[in-house]
């Protein structure tokens, strides 16, 4: 999809916006996909410098398909973001829109990241366990009632 937009977010990088100068920053792009998936989602703009200056990227026949496949293959659980090309100031950029994942954590090359301010932070083991616990639905019938006695247990057949 080719879309024309007047501008990219003028406020610059944030908790939900990341700029990447080129596709050669593939590892950092993947880390940002993980971070956004494990946080509140966000947008990655490729072909934009940290300052917000639009440099553009070369987009070939299979560029978008290759990027989508790289993201899918590197993430666990699989992430399928929306990827589109945008023309700004006569230059092509790529916009990747990542939603927050309902299943966490989202791993990227055996690492987990979260977005903190304008940065992607590697998540320690304790936080990974917390993300797993938070993303699983709570089921009352699987909880142990430690203070219950045998006389309180119902024996219907």
């Amino acid at each position: 999809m080719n879309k024309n937009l007047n501008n990219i977010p003028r406020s610059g990088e944030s908790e939900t916006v990341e700029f990447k100068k080129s596709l050669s920053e593939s590892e950092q792009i993947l880390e940002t996909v993980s971070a956004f998936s494990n946080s509140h989602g966000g947008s990655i703009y490729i072909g934009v410098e940290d300052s917000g200056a639009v440099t553009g990227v070369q987009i070939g026949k299979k560029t978008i398909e290759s990027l989508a496949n790289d993201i899918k293959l590197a993430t666990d659980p699989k992430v399928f973001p929306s990827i589109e090309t945008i023309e700004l100031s006569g230059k092509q950029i790529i916009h990747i829109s990542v939603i927050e994942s309902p299943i966490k954590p989202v791993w990227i090359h055996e690492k987990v990241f979260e977005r903190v301010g304008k940065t992607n932070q590697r998540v320690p083991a304790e936080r990974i366990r917390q993300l797993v616990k938070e993303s699983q639905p709570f089921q009352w019938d699987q909880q142990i009632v430690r203070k219950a006695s045998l006389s309180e247990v119902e024996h219907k057949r």
Side-chain angles (χ1 to χ4, degrees):
M1 174 190 300
N2 190 346
K3 196 173 172 183
N4 285 304
L5 291 181
N6 294 332
N7 56 22
I8 53 176
R10 291 188 184 271
S11 58
E13 291 186 325
S14 68
E15 194 168 49
T16 58
V17 175
E18 177 77 10
F19 298 150
K20 292 296 173 200
K21 186 175 180 178
S22 73
L23 287 164
S24 66
E25 297 179 84
S26 60
E27 194 61 31
Q28 293 85 4
I29 291 167
L30 293 173
E31 288 175 4
T32 304
V33 168
S34 171
F36 284 161
S37 296
N38 290 319
S39 302
H40 304 293
S43 291
I44 305 167
Y45 295 91
I46 304 169
V48 180
E49 292 187 16
D50 288 344
S51 66
V54 176
T55 56
V57 290
Q58 292 283 54
I59 300 174
K61 283 184 177 181
K62 300 219 177 215
T63 301
I64 302 301
E65 180 182 338
S66 178
L67 181 59
N69 283 333
D70 289 348
I71 292 169
K72 180 187 82 171
L73 292 173
T75 54
D76 183 19
K78 303 294 182 211
V79 174
F80 299 94
S82 170
I83 304 175
E84 60 187 345
T85 60
I86 299 171
E87 186 175 318
L88 291 172
S89 307
K91 298 175 183 169
Q92 295 289 313
I93 67 168
I94 298 172
H95 174 231
I96 304 172
S97 180
V98 180
I99 62 169
E100 180 178 356
S101 178
I103 301 169
K104 294 177 186 163
V106 172
W107 296 78
I108 198 87
H109 298 305
E110 301 178 8
K111 300 175 196 161
V112 176
F113 294 87
E114 278 188 305
R115 190 71 172 184
V116 179
K118 298 179 186 181
T119 65
N120 300 327
Q121 298 291 315
R122 184 135 181 223
V123 176
E126 181 180 322
R127 177 69 179 134
I128 291 171
R129 287 188 290 275
Q130 184 181 6
L131 285 170
V132 169
K133 188 176 178 182
E134 289 172 359
S135 73
Q136 293 178 349
F138 187 80
Q139 297 177 355
W140 287 104
D141 59 346
Q142 292 184 355
Q143 300 304 306
I144 297 171
V145 181
R146 299 194 188 279
K147 295 183 182 179
S149 67
L150 283 176
S151 64
E152 295 173 302
V153 176
E154 191 174 316
H155 295 282
K156 286 188 181 176
R157 288 190 193 229

